Amino acid sequence: MKKHNFSAGPCILPQEVMQKAAEAVVELDGSGLSLIEISHRSSAFVEIMEKARSLALEHLGLSDKGYTALFLQGGASQQFLNVAYNLLEDKAGYVNTGTWSLKAIKEAKIFGEIVEVASSQESNFNYIPKGYTIPQGLDYLHLTSNNTIFGTQIKEFQKTDSTLVCDMSSDIFSRQLDFSQFDLIYAGAQKNMGPAGTTLVVIKDGVLGKVSRKIPSMLDYQVHIGKDSMFNTPPVFPVYVSMLTMQWLKDIGGISAIEEINDKKASLIYSEIDLNPLFSGFAAKEDRSNMNATFNLTDATLKETFDQMCKEANINGINGHRSVGGYRASMYNAMTLESVGVLVDVMSELERKA
Ligand SMILES: *Cc1c(COP(=O)(O)O)cnc(C)c1O
């Protein structure tokens, strides 16, 4: 029986996408060939890559707005490095909202001065800093829109004249935003878009070419743009599955439709966390992530019982990250409201039992 999969990443994808992906591995669209044995230069795959790139821009409302979408390898972690390599000449600002921000800062420090513009590290990243001053003269400001591990999410993006870079790995395509406020967006596929193995990078025209260092080809965004995201063999399977997921999202009504469902899922679980005395939320209420809900048992002795009940209800992947503890329910786009309902039922059942 299919489990209710709350895994933080790699994570749930739409069942019909899995099905189509499995079929394409055997045979792509009646071609007599598998998706993973054809040339990436074949017209069949070039079409897949172009569709993936254009769907990404379309979902973000950035088609014909001077942006380019790439599907690269190396995960979001590679982008921690690439962003700095391509954009950092002297000084960049980073808002430190968790483990992933810290890792991005660590890589960027290799290339220049990093100003930690704001941080919530002093309280184990349980909130999003707000109302901070953004210094003048930054090469760029780097944000993490959703903190997968801590369960916090930026709800309002501060206005800035700075070049704005955002790691959207865990909430890309989950909510409506004015994406044109960003100059560079990146997102590892395996949180809300596809299987591990590719990373979407969306870059606005005009932000590149300003650093004086020589950039190795594989790290150079301009090289990848010049080759239509096909500088070398792209990760054909993850790109294909990401394309299918974006097509699925389009077919069900796009980001506005999924946002409505995501809001319902989030309010369902957070209201249970707030009303049930056996649970307490980790993140500050106003900053709670719609993608990753972090919470604890108020009575640790109930852990075994709760874990057993979850197991019996076919719930998978809700253990919290080691740096937070407790539980984390990840509710990406493909997760249904019904699955969240199953978890919430188990939580309220625990209260009745205890
Ligand atoms: C998972 C994650 C990453 C790291 O992604 P990799 O693909 O494993 O390198 C970076 N940033 C955020 C916000 C994440 O959730």
Side-chain angles (χ1 to χ4, degrees):
M1 188 193 160
K2 186 71 186 161
K3 291 187 174 167
H4 304 285
N5 186 11
F6 291 88
S7 175
C11 65
I12 187 168
L13 289 172
Q15 200 53 39
E16 62 191 82
V17 167
M18 304 275 199
Q19 191 60 45
K20 279 187 196 159
E23 284 163 15
V25 168
V26 179
E27 183 180 5
L28 180 65
D29 300 331
S31 64
L33 293 165
S34 161
L35 164 73
I36 57 174
E37 68 176 351
I38 57 171
S39 167
H40 59 292
R41 307 280 176 206
S42 64
S43 59
F45 187 76
V46 171
E47 217 171 275
I48 289 164
M49 177 60 96
E50 285 314 305
K51 184 108 185 271
R53 297 174 75 203
S54 72
L55 277 169
L57 294 180
E58 192 181 326
H59 279 307
L60 299 174
L62 297 176
S63 312
D64 305 316
K65 294 226 171 110
Y67 286 79
T68 304
L70 301 171
F71 284 90
L72 304 179
Q73 302 197 49
S77 300
Q78 176 74 50
Q79 298 312 313
F80 297 161
L81 165 72
N82 286 13
V83 162
Y85 221 129
N86 284 265
L87 301 181
L88 178 51
E89 182 74 7
D90 298 314
K91 191 166 70 172
Y94 278 69
V95 177
N96 180 10
T97 51
T99 308
W100 299 118
S101 310
L102 276 167
K103 290 189 176 188
I105 290 169
K106 178 170 181 249
E107 298 307 305
K109 276 186 173 163
I110 298 171
F111 303 98
E113 184 189 342
I114 299 306
V115 184
E116 201 177 89
V117 170
S119 170
S120 51
Q121 189 160 19
E122 84 289 348
S123 65
N124 199 23
F125 301 114
N126 70 349
Y127 72 99
I128 298 287
K130 295 169 204 76
Y132 44 83
T133 308
I134 301 166
Q136 292 295 305
L138 298 175
D139 292 328
Y140 62 87
L141 177 71
H142 181 283
L143 306 172
T144 310
S145 57
N146 184 71
N147 299 283
T148 327
I149 292 174
F150 300 91
T152 62
Q153 186 175 33
I154 301 176
K155 304 292 177 181
E156 275 195 45
F157 290 84
Q158 258 181 243
K159 291 260 170 300
T160 174
D161 299 329
S162 228
T163 296
L164 197 55
V165 176
C166 194
D167 176 359
M168 295 195 186
S169 292
S170 52
D171 67 353
I172 188 99
F173 306 142
S174 71
R175 58 175 169 166
Q176 291 178 287
L177 285 175
D178 173 12
F179 293 97
S180 72
Q181 68 192 298
F182 304 99
D183 297 280
L184 193 150
I185 296 167
Y186 63 93
Q190 73 274 17
K191 307 284 168 45
N192 214 11
M193 187 167 55
T198 192
T199 307
L200 170 66
V201 183
V202 175
I203 308 169
K204 191 175 184 178
D205 293 351
V207 300
L208 300 174
K210 294 179 184 166
V211 292
S212 53
R213 73 177 61 85
K214 278 213 162 77
I215 306 175
S217 308
M218 272 299 282
L219 306 187
D220 189 340
Y221 291 134
Q222 285 183 305
V223 168
H224 290 285
I225 291 171
K227 297 288 183 186
D228 293 327
S229 203
M230 295 266 230
F231 169 66
N232 69 324
T233 315
V236 295
F237 183 73
V239 169
Y240 180 69
V241 184
S242 298
M243 184 276 281
L244 290 180
T245 311
M246 288 185 283
Q247 185 61 52
W248 165 84
L249 180 57
K250 185 175 171 175
D251 293 343
I252 63 166
I255 293 185
S256 63
I258 206 74
E259 181 177 34
E260 223 172 279
I261 301 169
N262 288 337
D263 284 346
K264 282 189 187 144
K265 292 185 290 188
S267 52
L268 183 59
I269 193 153
Y270 286 123
S271 58
E272 181 64 23
I273 289 169
D274 289 341
L275 293 172
N276 189 327
L278 298 182
F279 293 95
S280 65
F282 173 78
K285 281 189 186 175
E286 70 274 19
D287 302 325
R288 283 169 162 175
S289 166
N290 273 14
M291 295 282 99
N292 315 93
T294 44
F295 56 97
N296 277 283
L297 279 165
T298 48
D299 175 359
T301 64
L302 290 171
K303 179 169 165 47
E304 217 171 296
T305 312
F306 182 58
D307 288 352
Q308 186 56 33
M309 289 166 70
C310 286
K311 199 172 163 199
E312 279 162 20
N314 260 316
I315 288 166
N316 175 69
I318 60 162
N319 278 340
H321 188 275
R322 61 192 178 280
S323 49
V324 181
Y327 296 92
R328 169 174 53 167
S330 298
M331 305 173 288
Y332 299 114
N333 284 354
M335 162 129 317
T336 61
L337 185 60
E338 290 69 31
S339 283
V340 178
V342 170
L343 174 58
V344 165
D345 284 348
V346 171
M347 292 165 80
S348 53
E349 177 67 20
L350 184 72
E351 188 189 358
R352 274 193 298 278
K353 267 193 178 174

